[in-house]
């Protein structure tokens, strides 16, 4: 295995080196870095041009300039990276650090959500092939996958920020809109729940009535402009999640499973209420510890009381705990929402930038969280939904192919529980092609974020690349390349190593 890893590292280093040479040559030959100065009427123009030429090394051969850049970058191996200066004399190290902070925060969240949710829906649609759930998720995935990123981002900016911020002044929902939203929700819920026509009609009808009641309640109380808060939010999420995930992952007719999942939700809710004063101004570590307590309930309660289906019940309970954690966040965000709206001038959903300049609430955890979240919200959705669509389609296809293999039929014929057949035999082998997609998707999202960052005005890696290329300045562009190309090569190498771990035959 060590020989295999060393070989992959050597190949990856060679690929990155050759690509960096090609990128450097293409950038320096893409235009004239002195074009703006040649058109200037400044009497000191010649002196300024000479200074920029000296700073950028334009009098040197391209290979000398490249070797100088390579020497500075090679210092990264000993912890002293030097990406040089841009054409204005600013350190590219500082520019790269600021850009990476914005982009990685955006891309990492979108990638993780895309992987988790996309693979989950992909597996479930494969298991329930040709069901209403399969048709619904497949249709949504096709729509999202077919939308260009810039179109999707512009639509989100228009309807999710500009019009939403204007709507908040009234924050009411008409009866027609309520019925339309409730019908969409009811159609989705009846498609998710397996069963005969009668059960699906009951589920759809119940979901429709509940959605109408909730939307009208939020409309009458102007909840979006002045949201109410309290433990009822995670409690409502817990009960709804318990029913939904029990129906999806176990069976809604399994009363023991439903009771176990509700018990997990109840125990977690007690802890949430008990820690209310601590959660008013927590830290990341406190929230992480809270999630760990909830996961402990999700593992232990089904272990002792779950019966024969405890494995599936445990998975459903884990999803309920994660959903309730989101409910907790919504609860405490609601408590500070009005204060945040007053600070930002009644336009809470941002359309530009990654944070509010000189934000006054940085000493308060939830105010700071709201500010970061409102800036992350729309660009993250734009990247995440397209990623979810891709992972759903790829995972479904891979799972269906694996489920038709002889070793899966053999596992079933030996009497193994379906959960073990899916997780140990089908899912692990279906993940081999998905591993490649995960590896390239992370780097691809950083490259794709160039468009998303442009639409939402983020000063991230995309802006660094665009400005550097527009100025025919190789140092910022090469910094972008080294990060994105390095991640692509690194993740590809990790995928190869993961292949060898999943399937030992690949090592040979």
């Amino acid at each position: 295995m060590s020989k295999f890893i060393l070989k992959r590292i050597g190949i990856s280093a060679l690929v990155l080196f050759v690509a960096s040479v090609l990128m450097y040559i293409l950038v320096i030959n893409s235009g004239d870095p002195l074009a703006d100065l040649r058109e200037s009427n400044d009497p000191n123009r010649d002196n300024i041009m000479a200074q920029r030429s000296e700073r950028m090394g334009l009098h040197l051969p391209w290979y000398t300039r490249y070797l100088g850049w390579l020497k500075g970058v090679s210092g990264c191996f000993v912890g002293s990276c030097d990406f040089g200066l841009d054409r204005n004399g600013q350190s590219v190290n500082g520019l790269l650090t600021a850009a990476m902070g914005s982009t990685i925060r955006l891309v990492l969240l979108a990638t993780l959500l895309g992987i988790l949710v996309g693979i989950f829906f992909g597996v479930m649609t494969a298991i329930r092939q040709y069901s209403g759930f399969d048709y619904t998720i497949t249709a949504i995935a096709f729509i999202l996958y077919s939308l260009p990123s810039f179109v999707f981002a512009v639509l989100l900016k228009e309807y999710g920020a500009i019009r939403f911020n204007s709507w908040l002044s009234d924050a009411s929902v008409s009866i027609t809109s309520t019925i339309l939203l409730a019908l969409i929700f009811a159609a989705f819920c009846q498609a998710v729940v397996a069963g005969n026509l009668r059960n699906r009609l009951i589920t759809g009808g119940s979901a429709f009535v509940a959605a109408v009641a909730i939307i009208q309640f939020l409309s009458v109380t102007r909840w979006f402009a002045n949201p109410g808060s309290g433990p009822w939010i995670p409690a409502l999420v817990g009960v709804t999640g318990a029913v939904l995930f029990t129906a999806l992952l176990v069976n809604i007719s399994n009363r023991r499973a439903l009771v176990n999942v509700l018990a997990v939700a109840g125990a977690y809710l007690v802890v949430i209420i008990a820690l209310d004063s601590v959660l008013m101004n927590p830290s990341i570590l406190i929230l992480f510890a809270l999630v760990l307590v909830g996961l402990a309930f999700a593992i232990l309660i089904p272990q002792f009381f779950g019966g024969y289906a405890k494995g599936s019940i445990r998975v459903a309970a884990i999803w309920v705990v994660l959903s309730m954690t989101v409910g907790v966040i919504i609860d405490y965000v609601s408590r500070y929402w009005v204060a945040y709206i007053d600070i930002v001038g009644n336009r809470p959903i941002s359309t530009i930038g990654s944070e509010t300049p000189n934000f006054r609430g940085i000493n308060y955890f939830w105010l700071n969280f709201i500010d970061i979240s409102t800036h992350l919200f729309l660009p993250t959705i734009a990247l995440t939904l397209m990623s979810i669509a891709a992972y759903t389609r790829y995972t479904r296809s891979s799972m269906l192919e694996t489920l038709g293999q002889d070793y899966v039929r053999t596992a079933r014929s030996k009497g193994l529980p379906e959960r073990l057949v899916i997780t140990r035999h089908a899912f692990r082998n279906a993940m081999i092609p998905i591993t490649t997609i995960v590896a390239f998707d992370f780097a691809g999202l950083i490259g794709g974020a160039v468009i998303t960052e442009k639409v939402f005005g983020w000063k991230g890696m995309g802006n660094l690349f665009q400005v550097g290329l527009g100025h025919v300045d190789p140092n910022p562009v090469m910094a972008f390349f080294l990060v994105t190309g390095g991640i692509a090569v690194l993740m590809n190498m990790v995928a190869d190593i993961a292949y060898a771990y999943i399937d030992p035959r690949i090592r040979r």
Side-chain angles (χ1 to χ4, degrees):
M1 186 69 176
S2 58
K3 182 179 179 181
F4 176 82
I5 294 175
L6 290 174
K7 181 180 178 181
R8 298 309 304 167
I9 292 174
I11 294 174
S12 300
L14 179 62
V15 168
L16 196 59
F17 170 73
V18 174
S20 68
V21 174
L22 292 175
M23 176 63 76
Y24 199 91
I25 294 172
L26 289 172
V27 172
I28 63 176
N29 288 284
S30 63
D32 182 8
L34 301 176
D36 59 319
L37 296 179
R38 297 187 197 280
E39 301 171 356
S40 174
N41 295 321
D42 192 326
N44 198 30
R45 184 189 67 174
D46 293 340
N47 185 38
I48 297 174
M49 290 177 63
Q51 289 178 358
R52 182 182 292 181
S53 298
E54 180 68 25
R55 191 162 48 240
M56 298 181 68
L58 299 181
H59 59 288
L60 299 173
W62 73 267
Y63 51 84
T64 304
R65 297 170 62 190
Y66 173 78
L67 291 175
W69 174 83
L70 187 62
K71 180 181 178 181
V73 169
S74 62
C76 295
F77 292 105
V78 294
S80 59
C81 290
D82 182 11
F83 289 97
L85 304 176
D86 68 357
R87 74 172 192 172
N88 297 319
Q90 290 182 291
S91 171
V92 177
N93 285 30
L95 297 175
L96 180 63
T97 301
M100 283 184 62
S102 295
T103 297
I104 296 300
R105 183 172 62 187
L106 172 63
V107 172
L108 185 62
L109 180 61
T111 302
L112 292 177
L113 288 175
I115 291 171
L116 292 175
V117 179
I119 290 178
F120 171 77
F121 279 122
V123 171
M124 295 306 302
T125 52
I127 294 174
R128 296 171 57 177
Q129 185 183 17
Y130 302 136
S131 65
F133 177 76
D134 182 25
Y135 288 129
T136 302
I137 298 299
T138 299
I140 294 173
F142 271 126
I143 294 172
L144 294 176
Y145 193 70
S146 63
L147 277 176
S149 59
F150 63 90
V151 173
F152 199 31
V154 169
L155 289 174
L156 282 174
K157 187 173 181 177
E158 173 66 23
Y159 292 98
I162 298 173
R163 298 199 182 189
F164 178 80
N165 287 334
S166 300
W167 173 78
L168 279 180
S169 60
D170 180 34
S172 62
V173 184
S174 66
I175 296 297
T176 303
S177 299
T178 299
I179 293 175
L180 180 61
L181 293 172
L183 284 173
I184 294 173
F185 179 71
F188 178 79
C189 288
Q190 67 83 26
V192 167
V193 178
N196 54 34
L197 180 61
R198 178 176 176 274
N199 288 340
R200 292 169 63 184
L201 288 175
I202 292 174
T203 300
S206 302
F208 177 80
V209 173
V212 169
I214 292 173
I215 294 173
Q216 280 301 298
F217 171 78
L218 297 178
S219 175
V220 171
T221 59
R222 301 293 191 272
W223 188 86
F224 287 99
N226 187 13
S229 59
W232 64 269
I233 297 178
L236 179 63
V237 173
V239 173
T240 305
V243 175
L244 181 62
F245 288 114
T246 301
L248 186 60
L249 298 171
V250 192
N251 194 318
I252 195 63
S253 62
N254 189 333
R255 297 290 182 265
R256 187 171 190 171
L258 183 59
V259 169
N260 270 261
V261 178
L262 286 172
V264 171
Y268 192 36
L269 182 64
V270 170
V271 174
I272 292 169
I273 295 174
L275 295 178
D276 180 70
S277 59
V278 177
L279 294 175
M280 286 297 294
N281 192 22
S283 64
I284 294 294
L285 290 178
I286 291 175
L287 291 179
F288 183 70
L290 178 68
V291 175
L292 290 181
V293 172
L295 293 177
F297 288 139
I299 293 171
L300 294 176
I301 291 178
Q303 180 66 31
F304 291 105
F305 305 104
Y308 71 91
K310 60 184 178 183
S312 300
I313 297 172
R314 187 182 301 119
V315 175
I318 289 173
W319 279 99
V320 169
V321 166
L322 297 177
S323 301
M324 290 183 68
T325 303
V326 175
V328 170
I329 293 173
I330 294 174
D331 175 22
Y332 287 94
V333 165
S334 301
R335 304 187 189 197
Y336 288 89
W337 182 248
V338 175
Y340 179 75
I341 289 180
D342 291 338
I343 292 173
V344 298
N346 299 318
R347 307 291 291 183
I349 306 300
S350 175
T351 59
I352 187 169
S354 57
E355 60 184 14
T356 302
N358 303 318
F359 183 63
R360 291 182 290 154
I362 73 173
N363 293 325
Y364 299 92
F365 176 85
W366 289 114
L367 283 175
N368 193 40
F369 178 84
I370 294 172
D371 186 61
I372 294 173
S373 300
T374 52
H375 287 79
L376 270 174
F377 185 64
L378 295 181
T380 299
I381 289 178
L383 294 174
T384 301
L385 290 182
M386 289 182 290
S387 185
I388 288 174
Y391 281 119
T392 299
R393 299 300 303 144
Y394 292 138
T395 305
R396 180 183 183 274
S397 177
S398 184
M399 277 292 293
L400 287 176
E401 182 178 355
T402 305
L403 288 171
Q405 299 296 317
D406 291 339
Y407 57 84
V408 174
R409 287 194 289 268
T410 302
R412 283 175 172 151
S413 66
K414 291 193 300 184
L416 286 179
E418 186 66 14
R419 179 179 61 85
L420 293 181
V421 173
I422 297 297
T423 56
R424 292 187 182 179
H425 294 272
F427 180 71
R428 180 171 179 175
N429 288 282
M431 285 301 98
I432 292 178
I434 302 301
T435 304
T436 303
I437 300 168
V438 171
F440 282 103
D441 192 50
F442 187 72
L445 274 177
I446 293 179
V450 173
I451 299 173
T452 306
E453 287 178 11
K454 180 67 175 177
V455 174
F456 291 101
W458 276 54
K459 301 297 184 182
M461 296 292 290
N463 183 70
L464 181 71
F465 172 80
Q466 183 182 14
V467 172
L469 191 60
H471 291 167
V472 197
D473 190 354
N475 286 347
V477 177
M478 293 304 293
F480 172 86
F481 163 79
L482 194 64
V483 173
T484 56
I487 290 175
V489 171
L490 176 64
M491 295 302 290
N492 189 39
M493 183 182 68
V494 170
D496 288 341
I497 296 172
Y499 280 170
Y501 173 75
I502 296 172
D503 189 351
R505 295 174 297 177
I506 295 176
R507 302 174 197 172
R508 298 190 290 272

